Amino acid sequence: MPTLLVVNSSPFHETSVSRHLSEEFVQNWKQANPNGRVITRDLASSDLKTIDAAWVGAAYTPKDARTPEQNQALALSDTLLGELKAADEYVFGVPMHNFAVPSVLKLWIDQIARVGESFSYADGTPKGLLQGKKAAFLVASGGAYNAGTAMASFNHVEPYLRSVFGFLGVTDTSFLSAGGAAALMHGLDRAAFLQPHVEAIRSQFVAA
């Protein structure tokens, strides 16, 4: 049974462009995979904390040698990793915050980028352990930061996510950028703004 993990990180809901696009992706994925399963992780409502020395110590302690306190420190990380490993595909709704990913998404990445679980070092060489997965990133930004635009160098979202997920073994990735969303606050019609991005998502499934 194919499984899709949906990860949203916008603090907004009804007005969120990235959430609208991830919902569109899920609807099309369900039509293409009627027997599939969807796992949803809303980072805006998840109790994510920064990793600390105790967390790092627990992560580098062999599983059978961990104390109850160390197991507790890694409990959320274990849950998030379980979701990642169970899924065949991922879709991320990502708003750009200050030219980068939202803080809650960075906290999530810190929880799942874990030695021996999502990556390893064999003979000192890093190896991603989440291989054979596929990820789609739906990125919404107030300004236009696409390649070829005057502000393209300010876009740290796509290069960062490509690097992180590539390190973890996820190299089959796609990015859809919905730039210029700030115009929605100045009267731009929402449906007209969303339509080309919705069509781009639908076309992925028609082609498949």
Side-chain angles (χ1 to χ4, degrees):
M1 175 172 54
T3 301
L4 174 70
L5 171 63
V6 186
V7 181
N8 281 306
S9 51
S10 173
F12 302 106
H13 290 271
E14 291 81 5
T15 60
S16 170
V17 170
S18 63
R19 285 180 186 269
H20 183 102
L21 297 178
S22 66
E23 288 172 6
E24 180 68 33
F25 187 100
V26 171
Q27 290 174 12
N28 283 269
W29 188 90
K30 285 181 175 179
Q31 291 177 2
N33 299 275
N35 297 317
R37 179 169 71 109
V38 176
I39 302 170
T40 302
R41 173 59 62 174
D42 188 345
L43 301 184
S45 59
S46 297
D47 187 21
L48 295 167
K49 295 181 173 61
T50 57
I51 62 173
D52 54 18
W55 188 99
V56 174
Y60 279 87
T61 298
K63 187 176 297 187
D64 57 1
R66 288 175 193 150
T67 66
E69 291 76 17
Q70 287 178 318
N71 286 327
Q72 181 58 38
L74 296 176
L76 176 58
S77 174
D78 288 339
T79 296
L80 299 178
L81 281 164
E83 293 172 351
L84 271 174
K85 293 175 181 179
D88 307 291
E89 296 183 50
Y90 314 135
V91 62
F92 293 83
V94 186
M96 178 187 285
H97 287 178
N98 299 317
F99 313 120
V101 300
S103 57
V104 290
L105 181 53
K106 178 58 168 64
L107 290 172
W108 178 87
I109 289 170
D110 289 343
Q111 291 284 340
I112 60 91
R114 206 170 113 195
V115 67
E117 296 289 345
S118 54
F119 71 94
S120 66
Y121 284 104
D123 301 323
T125 303
K127 178 183 178 181
L129 301 179
L130 298 177
Q131 298 183 14
K133 311 288 189 178
K134 183 178 180 180
F137 299 94
L138 312 177
V139 183
S141 58
Y145 303 96
N146 302 63
T149 64
M151 300 287 283
S153 64
F154 286 75
N155 180 1
H156 300 288
V157 173
E158 183 170 339
Y160 173 69
L161 291 173
R162 282 191 187 279
S163 297
V164 168
F165 280 85
F167 181 83
L168 300 180
V170 184
T171 56
D172 187 356
T173 58
S174 64
F175 285 80
L176 184 151
S177 297
L184 294 171
M185 297 185 291
H186 304 287
L188 179 65
D189 181 72
R190 181 178 174 86
F193 173 80
L194 289 170
Q195 190 58 33
H197 307 303
V198 167
E199 291 298 332
I201 291 171
R202 291 174 180 171
S203 68
Q204 296 178 27
F205 292 90
V206 171

